[in-house]
Amino acid sequence: MSTTFDDRKDSFEQGFVLSEELQFRAAARRNRLLGEWAAAKLGMTGEEAKEYSLSIVRTDFDEPGEEDVFAKIRADFDAGKVEQSDHQIRRAMAEFMEEATRQVKAGE
């Protein structure tokens, strides 16, 4: 027989797992959107842009946090002579995270 405390604990754990899953999915979606944005800035289209976007998603698995994603885009923009400040890149990251979170919660 479970107690109210056990039920609350189980409910909290389920909510935590769901929250972590949503965060993971939102971060992956953000990185795809960010990759599409960056690819366009770099003049990529079609399959090249799609592959670049996927490379941004994969980059996020290199290290915890989003600094690896930022560093890749910064380096690619520098190599491609794309004029975007660090602030503009980080702002795009934040805006795409908001959009990705909205999409994931809406089941898109």
Side-chain angles (χ1 to χ4, degrees):
M1 176 179 266
S2 65
T3 65
T4 301
F5 179 74
D6 289 336
D7 291 343
R8 289 181 69 198
K9 181 182 85 124
D10 291 344
S11 177
F12 176 77
E13 287 174 356
Q14 289 172 346
F16 179 77
V17 168
L18 182 60
S19 176
E20 288 294 307
E21 180 182 336
L22 287 174
Q23 281 186 329
F24 176 81
R25 289 176 50 212
R29 173 94 39 114
R30 185 264 328 257
N31 291 336
R32 183 179 55 80
L33 294 169
L34 184 65
E36 291 169 357
W37 171 80
K41 296 279 185 194
L42 289 162
M44 297 176 188
T45 59
E47 195 59 36
E48 182 183 29
K50 183 178 177 182
E51 186 54 41
Y52 181 79
S53 179
L54 291 175
S55 78
I56 297 298
V57 173
R58 287 188 296 268
T59 296
D60 197 25
F61 298 122
D62 292 346
E63 299 174 13
E66 59 187 26
E67 287 304 307
D68 47 351
V69 172
F70 171 80
K72 175 168 179 36
I73 291 173
R74 173 79 275 155
D76 292 347
F77 279 3
D78 289 346
K81 299 192 183 342
V82 174
E83 295 204 23
Q84 292 286 303
S85 69
D86 289 357
H87 174 75
Q88 289 170 314
I89 296 169
R90 290 191 188 279
R91 186 178 67 216
M93 291 174 78
E95 289 171 359
F96 286 125
M97 185 55 132
E98 288 178 22
E99 176 62 19
T101 300
R102 186 198 62 73
Q103 289 179 6
V104 167
K105 286 182 178 179
E108 295 178 19

mmCIF file of all heavy atoms in Angstrom, residues 55-79:
data_model
loop_
_atom_site.group_PDB
_atom_site.id
_atom_site.type_symbol
_atom_site.label_atom_id
_atom_site.label_comp_id
_atom_site.label_asym_id
_atom_site.label_seq_id
_atom_site.Cartn_x
_atom_site.Cartn_y
_atom_site.Cartn_z
ATOM 1 N N SER A 55 24.480 19.294 -38.269
ATOM 2 C CA SER A 55 25.796 19.335 -37.614
ATOM 3 C C SER A 55 25.735 20.179 -36.341
ATOM 4 O O SER A 55 26.441 19.887 -35.374
ATOM 5 C CB SER A 55 26.880 19.858 -38.571
ATOM 6 O OG SER A 55 26.824 21.271 -38.706
ATOM 7 N N ILE A 56 24.889 21.207 -36.347
ATOM 8 C CA ILE A 56 24.727 22.025 -35.144
ATOM 9 C C ILE A 56 24.055 21.197 -34.041
ATOM 10 O O ILE A 56 24.453 21.252 -32.875
ATOM 11 C CB ILE A 56 23.911 23.306 -35.443
ATOM 12 C CG1 ILE A 56 24.651 24.195 -36.441
ATOM 13 C CG2 ILE A 56 23.582 24.069 -34.162
ATOM 14 C CD1 ILE A 56 25.989 24.714 -35.963
ATOM 15 N N VAL A 57 23.065 20.402 -34.411
ATOM 16 C CA VAL A 57 22.406 19.527 -33.438
ATOM 17 C C VAL A 57 23.419 18.558 -32.845
ATOM 18 O O VAL A 57 23.479 18.378 -31.621
ATOM 19 C CB VAL A 57 21.225 18.761 -34.079
ATOM 20 C CG1 VAL A 57 20.654 17.726 -33.122
ATOM 21 C CG2 VAL A 57 20.140 19.728 -34.533
ATOM 22 N N ARG A 58 24.248 17.954 -33.687
ATOM 23 C CA ARG A 58 25.253 16.997 -33.202
ATOM 24 C C ARG A 58 26.310 17.677 -32.337
ATOM 25 O O ARG A 58 26.819 17.081 -31.393
ATOM 26 C CB ARG A 58 25.915 16.286 -34.384
ATOM 27 C CG ARG A 58 25.013 15.272 -35.060
ATOM 28 C CD ARG A 58 25.765 14.442 -36.093
ATOM 29 N NE ARG A 58 26.278 15.226 -37.203
ATOM 30 C CZ ARG A 58 25.636 15.444 -38.342
ATOM 31 N NH1 ARG A 58 24.448 14.943 -38.537
ATOM 32 N NH2 ARG A 58 26.189 16.167 -39.300
ATOM 33 N N THR A 59 26.648 18.912 -32.640
ATOM 34 C CA THR A 59 27.661 19.639 -31.875
ATOM 35 C C THR A 59 27.273 19.759 -30.404
ATOM 36 O O THR A 59 28.132 19.706 -29.528
ATOM 37 C CB THR A 59 27.887 21.042 -32.473
ATOM 38 O OG1 THR A 59 28.420 20.897 -33.786
ATOM 39 C CG2 THR A 59 28.838 21.875 -31.632
ATOM 40 N N ASP A 60 25.975 19.876 -30.145
ATOM 41 C CA ASP A 60 25.520 20.055 -28.769
ATOM 42 C C ASP A 60 25.813 18.842 -27.898
ATOM 43 O O ASP A 60 25.804 18.939 -26.682
ATOM 44 C CB ASP A 60 24.025 20.379 -28.732
ATOM 45 C CG ASP A 60 23.593 20.979 -27.409
ATOM 46 O OD1 ASP A 60 24.439 21.579 -26.715
ATOM 47 O OD2 ASP A 60 22.414 20.857 -27.054
ATOM 48 N N PHE A 61 26.116 17.704 -28.494
ATOM 49 C CA PHE A 61 26.438 16.507 -27.717
ATOM 50 C C PHE A 61 27.898 16.459 -27.311
ATOM 51 O O PHE A 61 28.306 15.597 -26.547
ATOM 52 C CB PHE A 61 26.066 15.237 -28.499
ATOM 53 C CG PHE A 61 24.603 15.143 -28.807
ATOM 54 C CD1 PHE A 61 24.159 15.043 -30.113
ATOM 55 C CD2 PHE A 61 23.660 15.172 -27.790
ATOM 56 C CE1 PHE A 61 22.807 14.958 -30.400
ATOM 57 C CE2 PHE A 61 22.301 15.092 -28.067
ATOM 58 C CZ PHE A 61 21.880 14.981 -29.371
ATOM 59 N N ASP A 62 28.712 17.396 -27.821
ATOM 60 C CA ASP A 62 30.138 17.394 -27.522
ATOM 61 C C ASP A 62 30.438 17.699 -26.063
ATOM 62 O O ASP A 62 31.291 17.079 -25.456
ATOM 63 C CB ASP A 62 30.888 18.396 -28.410
ATOM 64 C CG ASP A 62 30.911 17.978 -29.867
ATOM 65 O OD1 ASP A 62 30.590 16.805 -30.171
ATOM 66 O OD2 ASP A 62 31.247 18.824 -30.719
ATOM 67 N N GLU A 63 29.752 18.680 -25.519
ATOM 68 C CA GLU A 63 29.994 19.126 -24.141
ATOM 69 C C GLU A 63 28.665 19.497 -23.502
ATOM 70 O O GLU A 63 27.727 19.869 -24.204
ATOM 71 C CB GLU A 63 30.884 20.367 -24.128
ATOM 72 C CG GLU A 63 32.252 20.185 -24.721
ATOM 73 C CD GLU A 63 33.017 21.505 -24.813
ATOM 74 O OE1 GLU A 63 32.599 22.501 -24.199
ATOM 75 O OE2 GLU A 63 34.027 21.531 -25.521
ATOM 76 N N PRO A 64 28.590 19.452 -22.175
ATOM 77 C CA PRO A 64 27.362 19.923 -21.521
ATOM 78 C C PRO A 64 27.176 21.421 -21.762
ATOM 79 O O PRO A 64 28.144 22.170 -21.904
ATOM 80 C CB PRO A 64 27.613 19.655 -20.033
ATOM 81 C CG PRO A 64 28.792 18.757 -19.961
ATOM 82 C CD PRO A 64 29.562 18.930 -21.235
ATOM 83 N N GLY A 65 25.935 21.845 -21.839
ATOM 84 C CA GLY A 65 25.647 23.258 -22.045
ATOM 85 C C GLY A 65 25.633 23.616 -23.513
ATOM 86 O O GLY A 65 25.784 22.769 -24.387
ATOM 87 N N GLU A 66 25.458 24.900 -23.758
ATOM 88 C CA GLU A 66 25.308 25.348 -25.141
ATOM 89 C C GLU A 66 26.539 26.062 -25.689
ATOM 90 O O GLU A 66 26.530 26.528 -26.822
ATOM 91 C CB GLU A 66 24.088 26.261 -25.257
ATOM 92 C CG GLU A 66 24.154 27.483 -24.381
ATOM 93 C CD GLU A 66 22.858 28.283 -24.398
ATOM 94 O OE1 GLU A 66 21.794 27.719 -24.642
ATOM 95 O OE2 GLU A 66 22.955 29.500 -24.153
ATOM 96 N N GLU A 67 27.600 26.144 -24.916
ATOM 97 C CA GLU A 67 28.791 26.869 -25.364
ATOM 98 C C GLU A 67 29.439 26.237 -26.589
ATOM 99 O O GLU A 67 29.999 26.948 -27.419
ATOM 100 C CB GLU A 67 29.807 27.015 -24.235
ATOM 101 C CG GLU A 67 29.387 28.025 -23.185
ATOM 102 C CD GLU A 67 29.089 29.407 -23.770
ATOM 103 O OE1 GLU A 67 29.951 29.962 -24.481
ATOM 104 O OE2 GLU A 67 27.989 29.919 -23.520
ATOM 105 N N ASP A 68 29.349 24.912 -26.715
ATOM 106 C CA ASP A 68 29.920 24.253 -27.885
ATOM 107 C C ASP A 68 29.179 24.667 -29.156
ATOM 108 O O ASP A 68 29.792 24.867 -30.207
ATOM 109 C CB ASP A 68 29.945 22.737 -27.724
ATOM 110 C CG ASP A 68 28.630 22.139 -27.226
ATOM 111 O OD1 ASP A 68 27.726 22.893 -26.830
ATOM 112 O OD2 ASP A 68 28.516 20.899 -27.216
ATOM 113 N N VAL A 69 27.860 24.843 -29.048
ATOM 114 C CA VAL A 69 27.059 25.289 -30.190
ATOM 115 C C VAL A 69 27.439 26.723 -30.559
ATOM 116 O O VAL A 69 27.681 27.035 -31.727
ATOM 117 C CB VAL A 69 25.551 25.174 -29.878
ATOM 118 C CG1 VAL A 69 24.711 25.818 -30.960
ATOM 119 C CG2 VAL A 69 25.156 23.716 -29.691
ATOM 120 N N PHE A 70 27.502 27.578 -29.553
ATOM 121 C CA PHE A 70 27.886 28.966 -29.792
ATOM 122 C C PHE A 70 29.271 29.033 -30.448
ATOM 123 O O PHE A 70 29.476 29.748 -31.436
ATOM 124 C CB PHE A 70 27.887 29.773 -28.487
ATOM 125 C CG PHE A 70 28.487 31.134 -28.657
ATOM 126 C CD1 PHE A 70 27.747 32.170 -29.200
ATOM 127 C CD2 PHE A 70 29.810 31.367 -28.317
ATOM 128 C CE1 PHE A 70 28.312 33.425 -29.397
ATOM 129 C CE2 PHE A 70 30.384 32.613 -28.506
ATOM 130 C CZ PHE A 70 29.628 33.649 -29.051
ATOM 131 N N ALA A 71 30.225 28.275 -29.909
ATOM 132 C CA ALA A 71 31.599 28.313 -30.415
ATOM 133 C C ALA A 71 31.665 27.855 -31.879
ATOM 134 O O ALA A 71 32.404 28.438 -32.677
ATOM 135 C CB ALA A 71 32.507 27.442 -29.549
ATOM 136 N N LYS A 72 30.900 26.831 -32.236
ATOM 137 C CA LYS A 72 30.908 26.361 -33.626
ATOM 138 C C LYS A 72 30.352 27.431 -34.558
ATOM 139 O O LYS A 72 30.941 27.716 -35.589
ATOM 140 C CB LYS A 72 30.106 25.073 -33.773
ATOM 141 C CG LYS A 72 30.012 24.634 -35.248
ATOM 142 C CD LYS A 72 29.498 23.269 -35.427
ATOM 143 C CE LYS A 72 29.368 22.836 -36.882
ATOM 144 N NZ LYS A 72 30.360 23.286 -37.829
ATOM 145 N N ILE A 73 29.235 28.011 -34.181
ATOM 146 C CA ILE A 73 28.647 29.041 -35.040
ATOM 147 C C ILE A 73 29.565 30.253 -35.134
ATOM 148 O O ILE A 73 29.792 30.793 -36.214
ATOM 149 C CB ILE A 73 27.235 29.422 -34.560
ATOM 150 C CG1 ILE A 73 26.300 28.236 -34.801
ATOM 151 C CG2 ILE A 73 26.725 30.678 -35.258
ATOM 152 C CD1 ILE A 73 24.923 28.398 -34.246
ATOM 153 N N ARG A 74 30.139 30.662 -34.003
ATOM 154 C CA ARG A 74 31.070 31.792 -34.012
ATOM 155 C C ARG A 74 32.228 31.505 -34.965
ATOM 156 O O ARG A 74 32.609 32.343 -35.783
ATOM 157 C CB ARG A 74 31.580 32.028 -32.577
ATOM 158 C CG ARG A 74 32.684 33.064 -32.426
ATOM 159 C CD ARG A 74 32.184 34.499 -32.442
ATOM 160 N NE ARG A 74 32.052 34.956 -33.814
ATOM 161 C CZ ARG A 74 31.228 35.929 -34.219
ATOM 162 N NH1 ARG A 74 30.477 36.569 -33.375
ATOM 163 N NH2 ARG A 74 31.149 36.274 -35.478
ATOM 164 N N ALA A 75 32.818 30.312 -34.855
ATOM 165 C CA ALA A 75 33.954 29.953 -35.712
ATOM 166 C C ALA A 75 33.541 29.887 -37.183
ATOM 167 O O ALA A 75 34.278 30.369 -38.061
ATOM 168 C CB ALA A 75 34.534 28.612 -35.266
ATOM 169 N N ASP A 76 32.373 29.319 -37.449
ATOM 170 C CA ASP A 76 31.905 29.225 -38.839
ATOM 171 C C ASP A 76 31.609 30.603 -39.417
ATOM 172 O O ASP A 76 31.915 30.873 -40.583
ATOM 173 C CB ASP A 76 30.673 28.327 -38.930
ATOM 174 C CG ASP A 76 30.982 26.872 -38.638
ATOM 175 O OD1 ASP A 76 32.182 26.495 -38.611
ATOM 176 O OD2 ASP A 76 30.033 26.096 -38.419
ATOM 177 N N PHE A 77 31.030 31.485 -38.613
ATOM 178 C CA PHE A 77 30.767 32.844 -39.081
ATOM 179 C C PHE A 77 32.073 33.583 -39.335
ATOM 180 O O PHE A 77 32.201 34.300 -40.332
ATOM 181 C CB PHE A 77 29.906 33.620 -38.080
ATOM 182 C CG PHE A 77 28.426 33.334 -38.168
ATOM 183 C CD1 PHE A 77 27.901 32.401 -39.043
ATOM 184 C CD2 PHE A 77 27.547 34.019 -37.359
ATOM 185 C CE1 PHE A 77 26.546 32.159 -39.115
ATOM 186 C CE2 PHE A 77 26.181 33.785 -37.429
ATOM 187 C CZ PHE A 77 25.670 32.849 -38.309
ATOM 188 N N ASP A 78 33.035 33.410 -38.452
ATOM 189 C CA ASP A 78 34.331 34.057 -38.652
ATOM 190 C C ASP A 78 34.996 33.546 -39.929
ATOM 191 O O ASP A 78 35.497 34.340 -40.737
ATOM 192 C CB ASP A 78 35.252 33.824 -37.452
ATOM 193 C CG ASP A 78 34.805 34.595 -36.216
ATOM 194 O OD1 ASP A 78 33.956 35.503 -36.330
ATOM 195 O OD2 ASP A 78 35.308 34.269 -35.112
ATOM 196 N N ALA A 79 34.976 32.231 -40.145
ATOM 197 C CA ALA A 79 35.586 31.640 -41.336
ATOM 198 C C ALA A 79 34.854 32.070 -42.604
ATOM 199 O O ALA A 79 35.480 32.286 -43.642
ATOM 200 C CB ALA A 79 35.603 30.116 -41.228
#
